[in-house]
Amino acid sequence: MWETSNSCNFIRINGKPFPAPKRYPNLVVTTAVDSARNANNKVVGQKVGRDNYKIDNLEWPYLDAATWSSMLKEFKNFFVTVQFWDMVENDWITLKMYPGDRTADVFKIDSLGRPTHYINCKVNIIDTGW
C-alpha cells in the first residue's frame, strides 16, 4: 500500500510507518503552569507535569482510498502510540496521543460512485499527557 522504508517516514502510528507527508507539519511543544502572574506582572506559577506535544497540519497531498483508509483505521481506538522526531531532544520520542479531525477531499471516484483517491488528507495528533 505505501512505502515502509524508515528513511521516508516522518511518523509511526501504533508501530506502523505512515507515508512521508506533503510538507513537514508544525511541531508544537506546550508547557502548562499552575498559575499566571502576580499584581506586579511577574510569573508566580510553577510548571505542571511534563511538556505536551501536538503534531499540527500533518497532510498528504494525494492518497489512494485503500491507503487513506488503512491510515485512518489506526485511529479507531482513539488513543494511539505515536513515534516522531522530538525537536527538543533531537531524537525519536514515543507518546500516547489522539487524533483531531481527519479530513480529505474526494479526488476520483469509480463507476459506482465510490472514492478511489483523495487529496488534501489531513490530521492533527495531540498528546494525552500520559
Side-chain angles (χ1 to χ4, degrees):
M1 260 188 246
W2 64 72
E3 174 64 40
T4 58
S5 165
N6 287 342
S7 63
C8 295
N9 301 114
F10 171 78
I11 189 168
R12 293 170 190 85
I13 307 292
N14 297 327
K16 180 184 247 178
F18 271 31
K22 174 180 177 179
R23 58 185 178 274
Y24 290 105
N26 299 90
L27 300 176
V28 180
V29 180
T30 303
T31 302
V33 295
D34 65 0
S35 188
R37 297 180 178 270
N38 66 16
N40 294 322
N41 202 26
K42 293 183 180 177
V43 174
V44 295
Q46 298 291 320
K47 181 178 175 179
V48 177
R50 66 166 176 78
D51 287 340
N52 283 25
Y53 291 76
K54 180 177 181 183
I55 304 170
D56 205 13
N57 300 318
L58 194 54
E59 180 178 352
W60 296 268
Y62 179 84
L63 294 171
D64 63 78
T67 298
W68 185 228
S69 174
S70 180
M71 292 167 66
L72 293 175
K73 286 176 183 171
E74 291 302 317
F75 300 114
K76 276 190 160 189
N77 291 329
F78 188 59
F79 292 120
V80 294
T81 301
V82 181
Q83 184 181 32
F84 63 99
W85 193 257
D86 179 6
M87 64 183 176
V88 176
E89 296 299 328
N90 201 33
D91 200 359
W92 292 102
I93 187 172
T94 302
L95 295 174
K96 183 177 183 179
M97 303 179 89
Y98 65 93
D101 291 339
R102 288 137 287 193
T103 63
D105 299 322
V106 174
F107 185 65
K108 293 181 182 178
I109 59 173
D110 67 13
S111 61
L112 300 175
R114 297 176 298 197
T116 61
H117 293 82
Y118 295 95
I119 58 173
N120 306 321
C121 305
K122 300 175 188 176
V123 63
N124 296 322
I125 306 174
I126 303 116
D127 191 347
T128 65
W130 291 97

